[in-house]
Amino acid sequence: MSRQLDVITIGEAMAMFVASQTGDLAAAEQFVKRVAGAELNVATGLARLGLKVGWVSRVGNDSFGRYVRQQLAKEQIDSRGVTTDERFATGFQLKSKAENGTDPIVEYFRKGSAASHLSAADFNEEYFCSARHLHLSGVAAALSDTSLELLNHAARVMKQKGKTISFDPNLRPVLWKSEAEMVKQLNQLAFQADWVLPGLSEGAILTGHKTPEAIADFYLDHGVKTVVLKTGADGAWFKTASGEKGAVSAVKVDNVVDTVGAGDGFAVGVISALLEGKTLEHAVSRGNKIGSLAIQVIGDSEGLPTRSALGE
């Protein structure tokens, strides 16, 4: 497992069925099959930009699991860290077709999925340490106690090895026992990261502060090096441990098709640019750009650009 990677991430992928017509999901008769999963979206976006990316997960020995593996191969994402679990199934979801920029309705069928049984046993130190960067998300943290244990273990080891770590809170309150537990566990993960990428409303929940600077200071005071906040229609705001700070305007989008995946696209932009040695302002600008592309198409990752399409 000595092949070198740029990024490794950990998460769950599900088969996703997107309704072909708007309206109540109960009335939908035709669906388009896609693959979904926050961390896989990020892996896909980074791979399309030419980075070498590994994705760690579990899938079932079923058609959905084979479909996920087919998509990994299509996107040239390293799948050596993916285990086929003979005991549990791959999750799936149904997604409504939204219009006028409204958020789609998503119904999940993931409880007890193969990925929810991720654990520290899925950590291969040689494989993880072949990458220079680890990206974590609050979705994988929420899957189960054992999945959370894996993320914490991976973060500790990668930090000890001098690797950089990014963390997107990606809050999923319904998957946690309580909001207090969610806040406690996600902040513990965030404190191990170099780059923390919350949305403004997420930051308010996790820190108890309302302004971008107060949220950023909360994490900077706990050893984080850079905090980048997604501020919606305003774009994004950033601050570093050295005191550098600034705002980057959003990219105007005339036709919002599907808002799901915008935050993942933003993470792709920020992480890829920072790993390329670009300035933080450039990275945040790229994050805004890719996030804007993600919301102009149906599907969670269909709008993520190739290097040539990015136009930089």
Side-chain angles (χ1 to χ4, degrees):
M1 286 195 174
S2 60
R3 193 187 331 161
Q4 295 300 299
L5 298 171
D6 294 304
V7 181
I8 281 182
T9 187
I10 307 167
E12 176 173 29
M14 293 166 282
M16 175 173 67
F17 296 89
V18 185
S20 298
Q21 61 272 2
T22 58
D24 189 352
L25 271 173
E29 296 183 349
Q30 294 182 322
F31 295 82
V32 177
K33 186 168 71 169
R34 297 282 190 266
V35 68
E39 302 85 2
L40 183 54
N41 292 340
V42 174
T44 298
L46 293 172
R48 286 184 189 169
L49 293 178
L51 279 78
K52 296 180 177 66
V53 186
W55 180 73
V56 174
S57 190
R58 287 177 175 253
V59 296
N61 185 13
D62 47 43
S63 59
F64 291 162
R66 292 193 296 277
Y67 176 62
V68 169
R69 285 187 177 274
Q70 289 167 7
Q71 297 308 300
L72 294 172
K74 176 183 174 184
E75 300 291 348
Q76 299 184 332
I77 297 169
D78 191 297
S79 62
R80 288 174 294 163
V82 180
T83 299
T84 297
D85 195 317
E86 300 290 342
R87 303 164 298 164
F88 306 104
T90 310
F92 71 96
Q93 63 176 252
L94 302 177
K95 182 177 175 181
S96 69
K97 182 178 180 181
E99 56 186 354
N100 302 322
T102 57
D103 292 338
I105 301 298
V106 182
E107 294 184 357
Y108 295 94
F109 300 84
R110 74 196 307 179
K111 187 173 182 180
S113 68
S116 71
H117 291 83
L118 280 164
S119 72
D122 293 286
F123 184 82
N124 180 306
E125 184 168 334
E126 182 184 356
Y127 181 61
F128 272 81
C129 291
S130 71
R132 58 192 176 111
H133 183 79
L134 174 67
H135 176 67
L136 299 177
S137 152
V139 180
L143 292 177
S144 64
D145 290 343
T146 59
S147 181
L148 176 62
E149 180 185 3
L150 169 61
L151 267 63
N152 276 306
H153 181 65
R156 282 195 299 271
V157 173
M158 294 292 271
K159 194 174 183 71
Q160 288 169 1
K161 297 292 184 179
K163 313 292 187 174
T164 52
I165 302 171
S166 54
F167 179 68
D168 184 344
N170 229 324
L171 301 189
R172 297 292 190 273
V174 70
L175 296 179
W176 291 93
K177 297 169 187 173
S178 68
E179 182 174 296
E181 181 70 7
M182 176 180 73
V183 169
K184 175 186 174 183
Q185 297 297 346
L186 293 189
N187 278 336
Q188 285 183 357
L189 271 175
F191 296 160
Q192 299 184 72
D194 297 280
W195 316 328
V196 176
L197 314 171
L200 187 58
S201 60
E202 291 178 324
I205 292 169
L206 292 171
T207 71
H209 299 293
K210 298 190 182 304
T211 67
E213 185 150 22
I215 293 168
D217 286 343
F218 174 85
Y219 290 111
L220 296 173
D221 288 344
H222 283 88
V224 174
K225 294 188 173 98
T226 299
V227 181
V228 183
L229 283 118
K230 293 157 280 190
T231 52
D234 291 334
W237 191 93
F238 63 86
K239 187 174 182 181
T240 70
S242 63
E244 179 188 2
K245 59 183 177 180
V248 179
S249 298
V251 176
K252 189 176 186 305
V253 174
D254 293 325
N255 183 31
V256 177
V257 175
D258 185 344
T259 56
V260 176
D264 301 330
F266 182 83
V268 168
V270 173
I271 294 167
S272 63
L274 290 179
L275 289 178
E276 291 165 15
K278 305 292 187 185
T279 66
L280 181 54
E281 186 170 353
H282 184 118
V284 177
S285 179
R286 183 187 288 182
N288 283 344
K289 182 176 182 179
I290 296 180
S292 75
L293 294 172
I295 64 177
Q296 295 181 62
V297 297
I298 291 176
D300 292 11
S301 62
E302 279 65 23
L304 299 174
T306 60
R307 176 67 64 174
S308 60
L310 182 61
E312 287 187 7

